[in-house]
Amino acid sequence: FAQTTRLPVVQHRVQAGDTLEQLARRYLGDSTQWQALQQHNGGIDPYRLPPGQLLEIPLNLLRAATASVDYLQGSASLHREGSTAQPVQRGQPLQEGDALTLDPDAFVTVRLADGSTVRVQANSQVTLQQLRRRGRAGSLQTVLELEQGGMDIAVPGRPDATRQLEIRTPVAATSVRGTRFNVQVTEQGSSSAVDQGRVALQGSTDRASTVLPPGFGAAVDASGQASPPVPRLPAIATDR
């Protein structure tokens, strides 16, 4: 996945036989959207795409996905553009752009359309910045912005190279392909730790991402620089 200065995009390298109608059907679930792809890519010939050329698929053209509140404990509020804040309810549907603010006694689990769960911790603020799906029933393209607090993420199934799940904090971004991990925002920056799978962590001032394997974590300081991965502390033994 790539970011431009205009819109977040998916990059597609043209294969022999590709047409804009086929790509619109594959990525957007609607072949009639080929004109939008043509316009975004500089008015290229929709039937004569040079093999090897990189095309951009703007994520805002992908179909909107949904999420829902799977579990609620304590009090939390939902902020949706164009309406006043409302109390969060269990089973409540969520949409792209919704923001959740949790009280100090609250705990909320959000379930994404592919079964992934996001357990938002007490005293947290999180925005569902992007909820999109490739094609009619393709993989999710999800971006969550964590402004305060922490969350635990569990992604089911096998790693999927087409799935995007990115957690952004004020100083870093964490990307995942099917795993279990944790993200925390603190006054000093943010931190990420991995239970299963692997995640890519990149501070806002880092040139490249750091891959965190299972059992490791890393911190990002207030300047946006990530530390090297370090082993997580073992669980405290309860047997005597």
PDB file of all heavy atoms in Angstrom, residues 155-181:
ATOM      1  N   VAL A 155      -6.737 -10.405  15.016  1.00  0.00           N
ATOM      2  CA  VAL A 155      -7.157 -10.593  13.628  1.00  0.00           C
ATOM      3  C   VAL A 155      -7.208 -12.092  13.349  1.00  0.00           C
ATOM      4  O   VAL A 155      -6.182 -12.774  13.424  1.00  0.00           O
ATOM      5  CB  VAL A 155      -6.181  -9.901  12.655  1.00  0.00           C
ATOM      6  CG1 VAL A 155      -6.665 -10.056  11.220  1.00  0.00           C
ATOM      7  CG2 VAL A 155      -6.041  -8.423  13.016  1.00  0.00           C
ATOM      8  N   PRO A 156      -8.376 -12.642  13.022  1.00  0.00           N
ATOM      9  CA  PRO A 156      -8.489 -14.087  12.822  1.00  0.00           C
ATOM     10  C   PRO A 156      -8.008 -14.518  11.447  1.00  0.00           C
ATOM     11  O   PRO A 156      -7.808 -13.707  10.539  1.00  0.00           O
ATOM     12  CB  PRO A 156      -9.999 -14.324  12.954  1.00  0.00           C
ATOM     13  CG  PRO A 156     -10.597 -13.064  12.413  1.00  0.00           C
ATOM     14  CD  PRO A 156      -9.662 -11.958  12.838  1.00  0.00           C
ATOM     15  N   GLY A 157      -7.849 -15.819  11.297  1.00  0.00           N
ATOM     16  CA  GLY A 157      -7.528 -16.388   9.993  1.00  0.00           C
ATOM     17  C   GLY A 157      -6.059 -16.297   9.642  1.00  0.00           C
ATOM     18  O   GLY A 157      -5.229 -15.836  10.420  1.00  0.00           O
ATOM     19  N   ARG A 158      -5.757 -16.741   8.443  1.00  0.00           N
ATOM     20  CA  ARG A 158      -4.383 -16.737   7.960  1.00  0.00           C
ATOM     21  C   ARG A 158      -3.968 -15.341   7.528  1.00  0.00           C
ATOM     22  O   ARG A 158      -4.803 -14.513   7.171  1.00  0.00           O
ATOM     23  CB  ARG A 158      -4.253 -17.709   6.785  1.00  0.00           C
ATOM     24  CG  ARG A 158      -4.555 -19.158   7.143  1.00  0.00           C
ATOM     25  CD  ARG A 158      -4.439 -20.044   5.908  1.00  0.00           C
ATOM     26  NE  ARG A 158      -4.706 -21.444   6.236  1.00  0.00           N
ATOM     27  CZ  ARG A 158      -4.700 -22.417   5.352  1.00  0.00           C
ATOM     28  NH1 ARG A 158      -4.448 -22.137   4.055  1.00  0.00           N
ATOM     29  NH2 ARG A 158      -4.946 -23.661   5.719  1.00  0.00           N
ATOM     30  N   PRO A 159      -2.657 -15.066   7.523  1.00  0.00           N
ATOM     31  CA  PRO A 159      -2.185 -13.775   7.022  1.00  0.00           C
ATOM     32  C   PRO A 159      -2.679 -13.526   5.598  1.00  0.00           C
ATOM     33  O   PRO A 159      -2.671 -14.416   4.761  1.00  0.00           O
ATOM     34  CB  PRO A 159      -0.666 -13.917   7.073  1.00  0.00           C
ATOM     35  CG  PRO A 159      -0.417 -14.925   8.157  1.00  0.00           C
ATOM     36  CD  PRO A 159      -1.557 -15.900   8.060  1.00  0.00           C
ATOM     37  N   ASP A 160      -3.120 -12.312   5.338  1.00  0.00           N
ATOM     38  CA  ASP A 160      -3.697 -11.936   4.053  1.00  0.00           C
ATOM     39  C   ASP A 160      -2.981 -10.697   3.548  1.00  0.00           C
ATOM     40  O   ASP A 160      -3.100  -9.621   4.137  1.00  0.00           O
ATOM     41  CB  ASP A 160      -5.195 -11.674   4.222  1.00  0.00           C
ATOM     42  CG  ASP A 160      -5.885 -11.280   2.924  1.00  0.00           C
ATOM     43  OD1 ASP A 160      -5.199 -11.170   1.887  1.00  0.00           O
ATOM     44  OD2 ASP A 160      -7.108 -11.069   2.963  1.00  0.00           O
ATOM     45  N   ALA A 161      -2.238 -10.842   2.453  1.00  0.00           N
ATOM     46  CA  ALA A 161      -1.450  -9.725   1.941  1.00  0.00           C
ATOM     47  C   ALA A 161      -2.312  -8.589   1.416  1.00  0.00           C
ATOM     48  O   ALA A 161      -1.830  -7.470   1.254  1.00  0.00           O
ATOM     49  CB  ALA A 161      -0.509 -10.215   0.835  1.00  0.00           C
ATOM     50  N   THR A 162      -3.599  -8.856   1.135  1.00  0.00           N
ATOM     51  CA  THR A 162      -4.468  -7.804   0.621  1.00  0.00           C
ATOM     52  C   THR A 162      -5.216  -7.072   1.724  1.00  0.00           C
ATOM     53  O   THR A 162      -5.856  -6.054   1.468  1.00  0.00           O
ATOM     54  CB  THR A 162      -5.493  -8.385  -0.369  1.00  0.00           C
ATOM     55  OG1 THR A 162      -6.380  -9.269   0.315  1.00  0.00           O
ATOM     56  CG2 THR A 162      -4.798  -9.125  -1.499  1.00  0.00           C
ATOM     57  N   ARG A 163      -5.164  -7.595   2.940  1.00  0.00           N
ATOM     58  CA  ARG A 163      -5.842  -6.937   4.058  1.00  0.00           C
ATOM     59  C   ARG A 163      -4.963  -5.819   4.607  1.00  0.00           C
ATOM     60  O   ARG A 163      -3.763  -5.988   4.787  1.00  0.00           O
ATOM     61  CB  ARG A 163      -6.135  -7.951   5.160  1.00  0.00           C
ATOM     62  CG  ARG A 163      -6.690  -7.334   6.447  1.00  0.00           C
ATOM     63  CD  ARG A 163      -6.554  -8.299   7.593  1.00  0.00           C
ATOM     64  NE  ARG A 163      -7.524  -9.373   7.528  1.00  0.00           N
ATOM     65  CZ  ARG A 163      -7.325 -10.584   8.017  1.00  0.00           C
ATOM     66  NH1 ARG A 163      -6.170 -10.897   8.555  1.00  0.00           N
ATOM     67  NH2 ARG A 163      -8.260 -11.506   7.937  1.00  0.00           N
ATOM     68  N   GLN A 164      -5.573  -4.683   4.909  1.00  0.00           N
ATOM     69  CA  GLN A 164      -4.867  -3.594   5.564  1.00  0.00           C
ATOM     70  C   GLN A 164      -5.513  -3.338   6.911  1.00  0.00           C
ATOM     71  O   GLN A 164      -6.716  -3.122   7.005  1.00  0.00           O
ATOM     72  CB  GLN A 164      -4.909  -2.306   4.740  1.00  0.00           C
ATOM     73  CG  GLN A 164      -4.207  -1.134   5.442  1.00  0.00           C
ATOM     74  CD  GLN A 164      -4.545   0.208   4.826  1.00  0.00           C
ATOM     75  OE1 GLN A 164      -5.581   0.353   4.190  1.00  0.00           O
ATOM     76  NE2 GLN A 164      -3.687   1.182   5.015  1.00  0.00           N
ATOM     77  N   LEU A 165      -4.716  -3.381   7.968  1.00  0.00           N
ATOM     78  CA  LEU A 165      -5.168  -2.959   9.288  1.00  0.00           C
ATOM     79  C   LEU A 165      -4.051  -2.131   9.892  1.00  0.00           C
ATOM     80  O   LEU A 165      -2.985  -2.645  10.209  1.00  0.00           O
ATOM     81  CB  LEU A 165      -5.487  -4.158  10.189  1.00  0.00           C
ATOM     82  CG  LEU A 165      -5.873  -3.822  11.636  1.00  0.00           C
ATOM     83  CD1 LEU A 165      -7.030  -2.834  11.676  1.00  0.00           C
ATOM     84  CD2 LEU A 165      -6.231  -5.088  12.403  1.00  0.00           C
ATOM     85  N   GLU A 166      -4.288  -0.856  10.005  1.00  0.00           N
ATOM     86  CA  GLU A 166      -3.261   0.072  10.467  1.00  0.00           C
ATOM     87  C   GLU A 166      -3.775   0.846  11.672  1.00  0.00           C
ATOM     88  O   GLU A 166      -4.899   1.350  11.654  1.00  0.00           O
ATOM     89  CB  GLU A 166      -2.882   1.040   9.350  1.00  0.00           C
ATOM     90  CG  GLU A 166      -1.772   2.008   9.711  1.00  0.00           C
ATOM     91  CD  GLU A 166      -1.338   2.839   8.524  1.00  0.00           C
ATOM     92  OE1 GLU A 166      -1.135   2.278   7.422  1.00  0.00           O
ATOM     93  OE2 GLU A 166      -1.218   4.065   8.690  1.00  0.00           O
ATOM     94  N   ILE A 167      -2.947   0.898  12.721  1.00  0.00           N
ATOM     95  CA  ILE A 167      -3.253   1.686  13.916  1.00  0.00           C
ATOM     96  C   ILE A 167      -2.323   2.888  13.934  1.00  0.00           C
ATOM     97  O   ILE A 167      -1.101   2.721  13.975  1.00  0.00           O
ATOM     98  CB  ILE A 167      -3.077   0.867  15.214  1.00  0.00           C
ATOM     99  CG1 ILE A 167      -3.775  -0.496  15.099  1.00  0.00           C
ATOM    100  CG2 ILE A 167      -3.593   1.658  16.407  1.00  0.00           C
ATOM    101  CD1 ILE A 167      -5.256  -0.419  14.864  1.00  0.00           C
ATOM    102  N   ARG A 168      -2.888   4.068  13.890  1.00  0.00           N
ATOM    103  CA  ARG A 168      -2.089   5.287  13.913  1.00  0.00           C
ATOM    104  C   ARG A 168      -2.214   5.972  15.270  1.00  0.00           C
ATOM    105  O   ARG A 168      -3.306   6.037  15.843  1.00  0.00           O
ATOM    106  CB  ARG A 168      -2.541   6.247  12.812  1.00  0.00           C
ATOM    107  CG  ARG A 168      -2.365   5.705  11.401  1.00  0.00           C
ATOM    108  CD  ARG A 168      -2.917   6.674  10.373  1.00  0.00           C
ATOM    109  NE  ARG A 168      -2.804   6.138   9.011  1.00  0.00           N
ATOM    110  CZ  ARG A 168      -3.377   6.676   7.948  1.00  0.00           C
ATOM    111  NH1 ARG A 168      -4.103   7.782   8.076  1.00  0.00           N
ATOM    112  NH2 ARG A 168      -3.221   6.130   6.750  1.00  0.00           N
ATOM    113  N   THR A 169      -1.080   6.445  15.767  1.00  0.00           N
ATOM    114  CA  THR A 169      -1.049   7.257  16.977  1.00  0.00           C
ATOM    115  C   THR A 169      -0.445   8.606  16.594  1.00  0.00           C
ATOM    116  O   THR A 169       0.003   8.787  15.458  1.00  0.00           O
ATOM    117  CB  THR A 169      -0.205   6.593  18.074  1.00  0.00           C
ATOM    118  OG1 THR A 169       1.191   6.695  17.731  1.00  0.00           O
ATOM    119  CG2 THR A 169      -0.574   5.124  18.261  1.00  0.00           C
ATOM    120  N   PRO A 170      -0.419   9.571  17.511  1.00  0.00           N
ATOM    121  CA  PRO A 170       0.174  10.863  17.158  1.00  0.00           C
ATOM    122  C   PRO A 170       1.630  10.786  16.721  1.00  0.00           C
ATOM    123  O   PRO A 170       2.125  11.712  16.067  1.00  0.00           O
ATOM    124  CB  PRO A 170       0.018  11.676  18.451  1.00  0.00           C
ATOM    125  CG  PRO A 170      -1.195  11.106  19.106  1.00  0.00           C
ATOM    126  CD  PRO A 170      -1.120   9.636  18.815  1.00  0.00           C
ATOM    127  N   VAL A 171       2.345   9.686  17.044  1.00  0.00           N
ATOM    128  CA  VAL A 171       3.772   9.624  16.714  1.00  0.00           C
ATOM    129  C   VAL A 171       4.164   8.405  15.892  1.00  0.00           C
ATOM    130  O   VAL A 171       5.323   8.281  15.503  1.00  0.00           O
ATOM    131  CB  VAL A 171       4.636   9.652  18.006  1.00  0.00           C
ATOM    132  CG1 VAL A 171       4.472  10.971  18.731  1.00  0.00           C
ATOM    133  CG2 VAL A 171       4.304   8.474  18.919  1.00  0.00           C
ATOM    134  N   ALA A 172       3.237   7.483  15.603  1.00  0.00           N
ATOM    135  CA  ALA A 172       3.631   6.249  14.925  1.00  0.00           C
ATOM    136  C   ALA A 172       2.453   5.612  14.208  1.00  0.00           C
ATOM    137  O   ALA A 172       1.292   5.977  14.420  1.00  0.00           O
ATOM    138  CB  ALA A 172       4.225   5.254  15.927  1.00  0.00           C
ATOM    139  N   ALA A 173       2.782   4.613  13.354  1.00  0.00           N
ATOM    140  CA  ALA A 173       1.778   3.802  12.680  1.00  0.00           C
ATOM    141  C   ALA A 173       2.192   2.343  12.769  1.00  0.00           C
ATOM    142  O   ALA A 173       3.358   2.003  12.574  1.00  0.00           O
ATOM    143  CB  ALA A 173       1.629   4.219  11.220  1.00  0.00           C
ATOM    144  N   THR A 174       1.230   1.468  13.088  1.00  0.00           N
ATOM    145  CA  THR A 174       1.478   0.040  13.210  1.00  0.00           C
ATOM    146  C   THR A 174       0.602  -0.693  12.201  1.00  0.00           C
ATOM    147  O   THR A 174      -0.613  -0.511  12.198  1.00  0.00           O
ATOM    148  CB  THR A 174       1.161  -0.453  14.635  1.00  0.00           C
ATOM    149  OG1 THR A 174       1.905   0.311  15.577  1.00  0.00           O
ATOM    150  CG2 THR A 174       1.509  -1.915  14.793  1.00  0.00           C
ATOM    151  N   SER A 175       1.224  -1.512  11.340  1.00  0.00           N
ATOM    152  CA  SER A 175       0.490  -2.243  10.306  1.00  0.00           C
ATOM    153  C   SER A 175       0.610  -3.736  10.569  1.00  0.00           C
ATOM    154  O   SER A 175       1.640  -4.210  11.047  1.00  0.00           O
ATOM    155  CB  SER A 175       1.048  -1.919   8.917  1.00  0.00           C
ATOM    156  OG  SER A 175       0.981  -0.537   8.657  1.00  0.00           O
ATOM    157  N   VAL A 176      -0.447  -4.486  10.211  1.00  0.00           N
ATOM    158  CA  VAL A 176      -0.493  -5.891  10.589  1.00  0.00           C
ATOM    159  C   VAL A 176      -1.069  -6.736   9.460  1.00  0.00           C
ATOM    160  O   VAL A 176      -1.859  -6.260   8.656  1.00  0.00           O
ATOM    161  CB  VAL A 176      -1.338  -6.061  11.872  1.00  0.00           C
ATOM    162  CG1 VAL A 176      -2.759  -5.576  11.627  1.00  0.00           C
ATOM    163  CG2 VAL A 176      -1.364  -7.495  12.337  1.00  0.00           C
ATOM    164  N   ARG A 177      -0.658  -8.007   9.427  1.00  0.00           N
ATOM    165  CA  ARG A 177      -1.214  -8.994   8.521  1.00  0.00           C
ATOM    166  C   ARG A 177      -1.604 -10.236   9.333  1.00  0.00           C
ATOM    167  O   ARG A 177      -0.917 -11.232   9.331  1.00  0.00           O
ATOM    168  CB  ARG A 177      -0.202  -9.382   7.434  1.00  0.00           C
ATOM    169  CG  ARG A 177       0.161  -8.258   6.475  1.00  0.00           C
ATOM    170  CD  ARG A 177      -0.989  -7.918   5.545  1.00  0.00           C
ATOM    171  NE  ARG A 177      -0.576  -6.981   4.513  1.00  0.00           N
ATOM    172  CZ  ARG A 177      -0.624  -5.664   4.654  1.00  0.00           C
ATOM    173  NH1 ARG A 177      -1.057  -5.129   5.784  1.00  0.00           N
ATOM    174  NH2 ARG A 177      -0.228  -4.881   3.665  1.00  0.00           N
ATOM    175  N   GLY A 178      -2.683 -10.172  10.091  1.00  0.00           N
ATOM    176  CA  GLY A 178      -3.183 -11.355  10.779  1.00  0.00           C
ATOM    177  C   GLY A 178      -2.397 -11.692  12.025  1.00  0.00           C
ATOM    178  O   GLY A 178      -1.476 -12.497  11.978  1.00  0.00           O
ATOM    179  N   THR A 179      -2.747 -11.107  13.165  1.00  0.00           N
ATOM    180  CA  THR A 179      -1.958 -11.297  14.365  1.00  0.00           C
ATOM    181  C   THR A 179      -2.722 -10.819  15.584  1.00  0.00           C
ATOM    182  O   THR A 179      -3.884 -10.427  15.506  1.00  0.00           O
ATOM    183  CB  THR A 179      -0.623 -10.538  14.256  1.00  0.00           C
ATOM    184  OG1 THR A 179       0.217 -10.909  15.332  1.00  0.00           O
ATOM    185  CG2 THR A 179      -0.830  -9.055  14.255  1.00  0.00           C
ATOM    186  N   ARG A 180      -2.032 -10.869  16.747  1.00  0.00           N
ATOM    187  CA  ARG A 180      -2.548 -10.289  17.982  1.00  0.00           C
ATOM    188  C   ARG A 180      -1.493  -9.330  18.516  1.00  0.00           C
ATOM    189  O   ARG A 180      -0.340  -9.705  18.681  1.00  0.00           O
ATOM    190  CB  ARG A 180      -2.838 -11.372  19.039  1.00  0.00           C
ATOM    191  CG  ARG A 180      -3.977 -12.311  18.665  1.00  0.00           C
ATOM    192  CD  ARG A 180      -4.151 -13.393  19.718  1.00  0.00           C
ATOM    193  NE  ARG A 180      -5.229 -14.296  19.380  1.00  0.00           N
ATOM    194  CZ  ARG A 180      -6.491 -14.145  19.779  1.00  0.00           C
ATOM    195  NH1 ARG A 180      -6.810 -13.115  20.545  1.00  0.00           N
ATOM    196  NH2 ARG A 180      -7.412 -15.008  19.416  1.00  0.00           N
ATOM    197  N   PHE A 181      -1.898  -8.099  18.780  1.00  0.00           N
ATOM    198  CA  PHE A 181      -0.931  -7.134  19.278  1.00  0.00           C
ATOM    199  C   PHE A 181      -1.631  -6.051  20.080  1.00  0.00           C
ATOM    200  O   PHE A 181      -2.865  -5.990  20.162  1.00  0.00           O
ATOM    201  CB  PHE A 181      -0.112  -6.534  18.137  1.00  0.00           C
ATOM    202  CG  PHE A 181      -0.881  -5.639  17.193  1.00  0.00           C
ATOM    203  CD1 PHE A 181      -0.674  -4.271  17.199  1.00  0.00           C
ATOM    204  CD2 PHE A 181      -1.781  -6.173  16.289  1.00  0.00           C
ATOM    205  CE1 PHE A 181      -1.371  -3.447  16.325  1.00  0.00           C
ATOM    206  CE2 PHE A 181      -2.472  -5.365  15.405  1.00  0.00           C
ATOM    207  CZ  PHE A 181      -2.268  -3.994  15.425  1.00  0.00           C
TER     208      PHE A 181
END
